[in-house]
Amino acid sequence: MTAVTHSIPTGDDLDVVPEEGGALDVLRRGLRESPELRAGIAFTLLMAVTTAAGRLIIPILIQQILDRGVTGADGYRPEFVLWSCLVAVVLIAAIAAAGRITYLRLVRAAEAMLYGLRVRAFAHIHELSIADHTDVRRGIFVSRVTSDIEMLAQFAQWGAISWIVNTTIIVGTLGVMAVYSWQLAVLTVLVYFPLIPVLRFLQKRQLAAYDEVRTAVGDTLAEVSESIMGAGVIRAYGLRHRVRTNLHRAVDRQYRAQMRAATFFSLMFSLGDLFGGLVLAAVVGVGVWMGPEWGLEAGTLVAIVFLVNLILSPVQELGEILDQTQTAIASWRKILFLMDQPIEIEEPQAGVCLDPGPVTLDVERVNFSYRSGGTVLHDVDLHIPAGANVAVVGETGSGKTTFAKLLCRLADPTDGRILLNGVDLRDIDRESRRQAVRMVPQDGFLFDTTIAENVRYGREGSSEAAVIGAFARLGLEWWLKRVPAGLGTRVGERGENLSVGERQIVALARAQLADPGLLVLDEATSAVDPETERALSHALHVVAEGRTAVTIAHRLATAEAADLILVFDRGRVVERGSHGQLLSSGGVYSRLYESWLGSTRPGR
C-alpha cells in the first residue's frame, strides 16, 4: 500500500500564504473559480461602458450649446439651446437607469459568487483530514468563510464596477479631448504620467500590508473563538488577565497591520487630489494662454475643463478603489490557498456498498503520523470478527483515540490498510460507509436544535415514534420524560443546556437510531453522577448488542465484559485477549487494572 504523504503546511502555516503570482494572477484565478461572477458578464460590461460613455455626452452638449447656441456666428439661438437641454435631460435619465441596472446585475452576481464560494470553501474544510483540523486553529477556518469572503463581496459590488466605469471614463475623456485639442490631451497625460509608477510602487507594498491584515484578522478570530468556548475554564481558573492579554495582543497586531495598510491608502488618496489639481491648473492656464492660437473657442475650452473634471473624480477614487482591490486580492489569495489544500481522503467514484449487519474488521500493518510530532500508531495488525465486543485500553497518549478515528475514516493510515468485510475502507462508497460505521465521541457533540433533531441526525427522516423507540430500547425513556419539553427541548450551542451525561444520552440514542454495523464508542462515564453512570453503562451495553463494537474504555469495568481486549502502549498493540487471560499474564493490562482498582477504592 502506498504511503500517504502529508504535504499541507503544519499548524497556523495554513494562514501564511506564499506570495506567488501578482494581483492579476490572483484575479484571473479567482474569476476562474467563481463562475457565478462570470454569468452575464458581457452584458453587464456593456451596460457599464454605456454608463461611462454617457457621461461624456454632457461636456459635448455644453460645448455645442455655447459655440452654436450662444456665441456662434448666428448669435443666441433659444430653440437650439432648449432642445439641447431636453436631450441632456433624457440622456442623464438614461445614464442613471443604465447605471442602476448595471449595479443591480453586479450585486446579484456578487451575491451568487459569495454564496457559491462560501459553500465550496465550507465543503472543502469538511473534506480535509482530521490532521488538518488538528493542526489549524478553528478561527482561521472561520475567517476564510466569513470575513475574507465578505471582503470579496464588497469589491465585487463596488470596486469591480468602478474599475470598468472609471477606466472607460478616463480613456473616453482623453479621446474626446484629443478631438477638441490634442495639445491639451497630451498635456493632461504628461502631468498624470508620474503618478503611474508611484501608484505601482505603493500598490505592491499595500498588497503585502493587506496580506498581513487578513492574517491578523484570522488570528484575532481564533483568540476570540477560543476565549468564548473556554469561558467556563477561564472563570474557574482566574485566567481572565492572561486571556485578555492574548486577545489584546492579537487585536493590537491587527490594528498595527491595518494602520500600515491605511498609510498607503492615505498616500494614494492625497496623490490623486494633488495630481488632479495640477492637471486642472495646467489645462486652464495653458488653454487660456494658447487657446486663441490653437483655434479653441470659448465653448470648446469650457467643455475641456468639464472633461478634465470628469477625469479628476476617477483619479481621486483610484486610491480608494486600489485599497479595496488590495483587500479583496489578499482575501481571495487566502481563500484560494485554502481551496488548493489537497483532499487526502479521496472518495471512490464507484465504491463498494456493504451489506447491513455486523461487519468483520481487519487492520493490516497500519501506521499513522500527524504532521507535527512522530508516529502515533506502529504496525497495528489485528482481526475482529463480526459481532464482537472489543475494548481498547491504554494510558493517555497511547494511540487509542487515533485508532478510533481511523476506523471512521476521519483520516487514512500513513501505511497499511483497514478492511470492513474484506473491503479496503478507501474503496467503500461514502454513504455506505457512513451507514455502516458510526462513532459516539466522548464529548457527545450536539447541534443547537431540539433533542429530536439531534437524534434524527442518526437517520434522516425518522419519525417521532422511531426516535422515542431509540430511547426506549436503551432504557432511557425515563430521562426523556424528565426533561422540560421532551423531544422538543432545545439543547443549546454544543448541547450546553444539557449536562455531560445528558449529552451522552442523546448521542447514544442517535447511534441506536442509526443502527450501524460497526459502532465506535469513546466511553464517557467518568464525569457523571452515579445514577446517570448506571443508566449510561446499561445503554452502552445495549447499543453494542447485535453489531461489531469497538469501545475506547476509560473505565476498565467496561473492558471486563468485552469479548476481546486490545491493550495499546506507545502506539502499538502490546497485548490482546480476554479480561481473565490478560489479568493472569501480569503484563501491561494487569498493571493498568491494579492501578484502576486502587483509584476506585473507598477513601481514594
Side-chain angles (χ1 to χ4, degrees):
M1 180 60 64
T2 305
V4 175
T5 58
H6 301 301
S7 59
I8 301 176
T10 61
D12 290 345
D13 288 345
L14 184 59
D15 201 45
V16 180
V17 182
E19 295 184 14
E20 296 178 359
L24 288 177
D25 295 325
V26 175
L27 285 173
R28 292 191 193 100
R29 167 77 193 287
L31 289 173
R32 287 198 303 270
E33 296 293 332
S34 302
E36 301 88 354
L37 201 59
R38 302 197 306 270
I41 191 66
F43 181 74
T44 304
L45 288 174
L46 177 62
M47 294 295 291
V49 170
T50 302
T51 301
R55 297 183 187 179
L56 299 175
I57 301 297
I58 306 304
I60 295 174
L61 283 173
I62 291 173
Q63 179 266 322
Q64 290 292 311
I65 290 171
L66 289 175
D67 286 348
R68 297 180 59 187
V70 178
T71 62
D74 298 331
Y76 178 58
R77 299 167 57 194
E79 290 184 2
F80 181 83
V81 173
L82 177 62
W83 282 107
S84 297
C85 289
L86 288 175
V87 170
V89 170
V90 172
L91 287 175
I92 290 172
I95 292 169
R100 178 175 174 79
I101 293 171
T102 303
Y103 178 74
L104 289 176
R105 286 180 61 85
L106 200 59
V107 167
R108 280 195 291 269
E111 289 299 323
M113 179 209 72
L114 183 72
Y115 176 84
L117 190 59
R118 179 171 284 150
V119 168
R120 288 192 292 274
F122 184 79
H124 190 84
I125 288 171
H126 280 272
E127 291 294 331
L128 294 174
S129 152
I130 194 65
D132 301 309
H133 289 269
T134 300
D135 288 340
V136 180
R137 301 177 76 182
R138 292 185 183 93
I140 291 173
F141 284 141
V142 172
S143 176
R144 294 297 86 85
V145 298
T146 54
S147 65
D148 285 331
I149 291 181
E150 288 297 335
M151 292 297 103
L152 282 180
Q154 293 177 20
F155 169 73
Q157 291 174 5
W158 182 77
I161 193 69
S162 295
W163 275 117
I164 298 167
V165 171
N166 289 340
T167 301
T168 303
I169 288 175
I170 291 172
V171 174
T173 300
L174 289 174
V176 174
M177 285 180 65
V179 172
Y180 283 145
S181 171
W182 66 266
Q183 298 95 329
L184 292 181
V186 170
L187 176 65
T188 301
V189 172
L190 289 176
V191 176
Y192 266 131
F193 186 79
L195 185 60
I196 297 174
V198 174
L199 288 179
R200 179 62 177 164
F201 174 84
L202 293 175
Q203 180 263 338
K204 290 182 178 180
R205 281 147 186 82
Q206 190 183 34
L207 180 57
Y210 272 116
D211 273 333
E212 293 180 15
V213 170
R214 303 318 308 163
T215 298
V217 168
D219 291 341
T220 301
L221 284 174
E223 290 291 346
V224 171
S225 175
E226 190 173 76
S227 64
I228 292 174
M229 292 176 63
V233 175
I234 292 168
R235 290 181 183 178
Y237 286 85
L239 301 176
R240 290 183 180 180
H241 177 71
R242 178 181 297 179
V243 172
R244 189 180 293 114
T245 299
N246 291 339
L247 182 57
H248 285 184
R249 188 178 295 118
V251 172
D252 182 65
R253 283 196 297 269
Q254 181 179 339
Y255 168 77
R256 292 180 183 277
Q258 189 69 58
M259 289 305 297
R260 281 194 293 273
T263 301
F264 293 108
F265 169 65
S266 64
L267 286 172
M268 290 180 174
F269 191 80
S270 59
L271 284 173
D273 285 341
L274 173 63
F275 277 84
L278 291 175
V279 167
L280 188 59
V283 168
V284 171
V286 174
V288 171
W289 182 34
M290 299 295 296
E293 185 176 334
W294 291 342
L296 296 179
E297 297 180 359
T300 302
L301 186 56
V302 171
I304 290 175
V305 172
F306 270 92
L307 289 169
V308 170
N309 274 311
L310 272 181
I311 296 180
L312 292 182
S313 180
V315 172
Q316 288 170 345
E317 288 181 3
L318 192 60
E320 188 174 355
I321 298 171
L322 274 173
D323 180 78
Q324 193 177 84
T325 303
Q326 306 295 44
T327 305
I329 290 171
S331 299
W332 221 335
R333 177 178 284 168
K334 289 184 178 296
I335 295 167
L336 293 174
F337 186 67
L338 168 66
M339 301 293 285
D340 282 341
Q341 304 315 309
I343 302 297
E344 296 177 358
I345 303 177
E346 297 182 2
E347 299 293 345
Q349 293 296 322
V352 178
C353 292
L354 298 176
D355 294 328
V359 301
T360 301
L361 175 63
D362 290 285
V363 181
E364 298 181 350
R365 304 189 65 82
V366 162
N367 296 282
F368 183 78
S369 302
Y370 289 103
R371 298 188 187 93
S372 54
T375 304
V376 180
L377 297 177
H378 304 264
D379 292 325
V380 178
D381 200 24
L382 49 91
H383 170 77
I384 297 175
N389 184 2
V390 179
V392 178
V393 303
E395 295 180 348
T396 300
S398 60
K400 307 186 300 296
T401 300
T402 298
F403 175 68
K405 291 175 179 177
L406 293 184
L407 297 183
C408 302
R409 212 186 174 203
L410 297 179
D412 282 334
T414 306
D415 292 296
R417 60 179 186 162
I418 298 173
L419 300 95
L420 300 183
N421 289 345
V423 182
D424 193 321
L425 205 56
R426 299 179 180 92
D427 298 328
I428 299 174
D429 177 75
R430 181 204 298 255
E431 292 305 317
S432 180
R433 183 187 74 243
R434 289 175 177 173
Q435 291 175 8
V437 184
R438 293 297 174 100
M439 181 178 185
V440 180
Q442 187 174 8
D443 60 359
F445 183 90
L446 302 180
F447 296 92
D448 187 10
T449 181
T450 63
I451 290 174
E453 289 304 311
N454 271 285
V455 174
R456 283 195 184 98
Y457 284 127
R459 189 177 294 275
E460 293 287 347
S462 297
S463 65
E464 184 173 314
V467 175
I468 295 174
F471 282 99
R473 177 73 180 86
L474 298 176
L476 296 170
E477 198 172 8
W478 61 270
W479 174 80
L480 193 59
K481 294 177 180 178
R482 198 170 68 179
V483 293
L487 287 177
T489 303
R490 295 196 68 90
V491 303
E493 188 175 358
R494 299 176 62 87
E496 290 180 353
N497 292 347
L498 304 180
S499 68
V500 174
E502 289 173 328
R503 290 199 293 270
Q504 198 70 1
I505 285 174
V506 177
L508 286 173
R510 182 164 58 198
Q512 175 65 33
L513 186 65
D515 192 25
L518 171 61
L519 182 63
V520 182
L521 295 164
D522 197 351
E523 182 192 38
T525 58
S526 58
V528 299
D529 60 87
E531 180 186 9
T532 306
E533 181 180 351
R534 287 191 296 271
L536 282 174
S537 296
H538 173 72
L540 286 167
H541 174 73
V542 173
V543 80
E545 290 179 348
R547 57 180 57 92
T548 308
V550 176
T551 304
I552 309 300
H554 304 281
R555 297 166 64 258
L556 295 192
T558 303
E560 292 179 7
D563 303 325
L564 174 67
I565 300 173
L566 302 174
V567 183
F568 276 68
D569 184 46
R570 298 180 182 179
R572 301 179 186 275
V573 179
V574 294
E575 295 177 3
R576 66 189 75 191
S578 66
H579 172 71
Q581 292 171 337
L582 296 178
L583 203 60
S584 62
S585 68
V588 175
Y589 179 79
S590 178
R591 293 196 300 273
L592 288 172
Y593 191 77
E594 287 297 325
S595 176
W596 176 73
L597 280 180
S599 67
T600 58
R601 291 193 184 105
R604 293 297 295 264

